Amino acid sequence: MLYRLLLQSAKRARQRPSLLRAAYSCSRPAISIPEPPGIEEISYIPPLYHEQDIALNKAKKVDPTFGLRYFVPPDQSTLLAYWPDLKDRLLARPGAFPPISSITACSSYEIHEVPGKGKSMFATEAIAPGALIARERPLLVAPALTPLKYSEERIHLSHMPENIRDKFLALHNCKMPSHPRGIMATNAFSAGNMPGQSHFGLYGATYNDISRANHSCRANARHRWNLDMFAGELRAQRAIAAGEEVTVRYSTDGARADRQEELRERYGFDCACEICSLPPAALARDDHSRKTLDDLWSLLLWGGSSCVQKLPSEVHLGCVSLLEGIRDETAEFWRVHAGELARAYCTLGQREDAVRWARKAMEKTMASTGDDGGWAAVVEAPERTDVWRSQAVGK
């Protein structure tokens, strides 16, 4: 039922104006409801450089004059491999490449060896949801899709400062032994699209510490790229106990069999996390919920961010129910659904429900970005929002 409702709504989203959106233009009080996160934030991008990228590289036609450039900031903290023009665009940004000494040092984790898993990340103290676990300058930032005509092994290592080269080579390599591309394939996280890079625009970042975080289908942390700091961040998606392993998600969501196949193909291991180890009956229920959510989110991504705002509240409530059922704390998912429920209850003038969902949206935005994203003002005074009672007035 929920799936059919979303499918019908997504197909109508581009054809009819939303009652809620139409009401927004009635007035503009002091507080605006924050917009839902962009598609680039809510779509999960797993670590990069797997075999599918290699196949795509072979299919791309690249101008022979289009080659990689290299840049090392004055503090020798990272190597940036980039397509033409990116360095100038980055350096034109205010405070570009801040010195590594300005990046907040975090003492809430440690790295140590675990039999059968290699070096892993563990919390050294209790970490609250949304708290910063790590902020780190990458060892290497490079395009996700690098034409094979360029010798990555020779070029990358010859340009990498010696003080970080040994750290890079010490990272696990489950792909191409003795080849830097294998290290990137095993360890890189998405750094998104760099400014002005429309051709081969997606980049990846490989870290000394963050890349040690292992996989769990119910991860307690999430990576986010901070372009202003030119650093990656790990933030807690839920409460993490002292001594608990810090984990991220390497795979997309879906049923256990699909996740296991993806992890086996990309990284050569079978997941034994708490979700994959559920008893058969509980696993069947979990698989059904995750598959339903996966299908729903595929439709949302197809419809775009505007589609999210045009969905009935029943869809968002249904998704929340599924997320609660599988104990999924992924902040980006919650930001979308809680935020749109807060918006809907504001339009109806129902203060208690509006505050409840605005608070949830604020908590999940904090867990994702480190700030409240404008939701604190909505929690404090929902009646001052630009949509308050707009739907009720129109009745």
Side-chain angles (χ1 to χ4, degrees):
M1 179 63 185
L2 179 61
Y3 178 84
R4 289 198 300 272
L5 181 60
L6 179 59
L7 179 60
Q8 294 166 0
S9 301
K11 287 182 176 179
R12 293 196 301 264
R14 299 177 185 274
Q15 302 172 1
R16 64 173 175 80
S18 166
L19 290 175
L20 299 186
R21 298 301 291 172
Y24 297 162
S25 59
C26 296
S27 61
R28 301 293 296 177
I31 302 173
S32 296
I33 295 283
E35 295 295 314
I39 294 303
E40 70 280 357
E41 294 182 72
I42 61 179
S43 59
Y44 174 72
I45 304 176
L48 310 169
Y49 307 99
H50 51 83
E51 285 79 354
Q52 293 175 10
D53 297 334
I54 298 175
L56 182 57
N57 274 328
K58 292 179 179 178
K60 292 285 185 181
K61 294 182 179 179
V62 182
D63 186 327
T65 64
F66 184 78
L68 287 172
R69 276 60 165 175
Y70 297 87
F71 173 72
V72 177
D75 61 8
Q76 301 280 297
S77 59
T78 190
L79 171 65
L80 170 65
Y82 65 96
W83 300 124
D85 300 329
L86 175 60
K87 185 184 77 170
D88 293 339
R89 292 177 182 272
L90 289 175
L91 291 176
R93 294 172 59 87
F97 293 99
I100 195 169
S101 58
S102 67
I103 297 178
T104 305
C106 300
S107 58
S108 58
Y109 72 90
E110 62 183 6
I111 307 294
H112 60 78
E113 195 81 20
V114 176
K117 297 177 71 172
K119 290 186 176 179
S120 307
M121 179 180 285
F122 289 85
T124 56
E125 59 188 42
I127 302 174
L132 182 67
I133 302 171
R135 180 182 288 133
E136 182 181 5
R137 179 68 52 80
L139 303 173
L140 173 69
V141 176
L145 300 177
T146 304
L148 296 178
K149 63 182 290 183
Y150 301 109
S151 173
E152 294 158 327
E153 181 170 11
R154 177 179 58 83
I155 296 177
H156 281 162
L157 294 189
S158 66
H159 287 81
M160 185 172 283
E162 291 186 10
N163 64 310
I164 62 175
R165 187 182 306 163
D166 290 343
K167 296 177 181 178
F168 179 78
L169 291 174
L171 292 169
H172 182 56
N173 185 348
C174 71
K175 292 290 186 179
M176 304 173 188
S178 76
H179 198 294
R181 185 178 177 86
I183 296 176
M184 292 184 287
T186 307
N187 297 281
F189 287 87
S190 173
N193 283 292
M194 291 291 177
Q197 297 280 284
S198 58
H199 188 60
F200 290 108
L202 192 64
Y203 280 66
T206 305
Y207 305 89
N208 185 52
D209 286 353
I210 291 177
S211 291
R212 304 290 188 182
N214 288 319
H215 166 82
S216 172
C217 296
R218 189 175 179 250
N220 55 24
R222 187 173 173 89
H223 170 269
R224 177 176 180 265
W225 176 249
N226 185 327
L227 181 60
D228 291 334
M229 299 294 293
F230 209 77
E233 298 176 348
L234 275 188
R235 289 190 179 274
Q237 299 292 281
R238 53 184 170 84
I240 302 175
E244 183 179 352
E245 184 175 4
V246 176
T247 56
V248 295
R249 204 166 74 191
Y250 292 3
S251 68
T252 51
D253 216 343
R256 179 183 184 276
D258 297 330
R259 300 195 306 271
Q260 292 284 10
E261 181 180 0
E262 182 179 355
L263 292 168
R264 197 176 298 117
E265 178 183 341
R266 291 188 177 183
Y267 303 103
F269 72 87
D270 293 315
C271 181
C273 72
E274 61 178 292
I275 301 300
C276 290
S277 303
L278 287 171
L283 181 61
R285 292 192 297 270
D286 186 84
D287 277 353
H288 176 74
S289 295
R290 290 180 186 275
K291 183 65 168 62
T292 301
L293 279 168
D294 198 42
D295 290 342
L296 295 176
W297 274 92
S298 295
L299 287 171
L300 285 180
L301 296 177
W302 168 74
S305 296
S306 62
C307 174
V308 173
Q309 296 178 325
K310 296 173 182 177
L311 296 176
S313 298
E314 291 83 358
V315 171
H316 296 295
L317 287 168
C319 290
V320 165
S321 178
L322 289 172
L323 288 169
E324 289 176 336
I326 62 176
R327 297 184 300 155
D328 191 325
E329 299 295 334
T330 303
E332 283 71 21
F333 295 169
W334 279 96
R335 286 172 65 191
V336 169
H337 299 307
E340 290 309 303
L341 286 169
R343 185 193 301 272
Y345 283 116
C346 280
T347 66
L348 294 172
Q350 296 181 14
R351 192 181 196 282
E352 183 177 349
D353 288 322
V355 169
R356 172 193 172 195
W357 290 109
R359 181 173 287 110
K360 176 65 76 171
M362 179 181 69
E363 292 171 355
K364 294 304 180 180
T365 302
M366 287 287 295
S368 178
T369 67
D371 61 57
D372 66 71
W375 284 110
V378 180
V379 171
E380 182 68 23
E383 60 277 357
R384 292 183 55 226
T385 61
D386 52 4
V387 299
W388 183 253
R389 293 185 58 82
S390 56
Q391 192 173 24
V393 170
K395 288 186 175 180

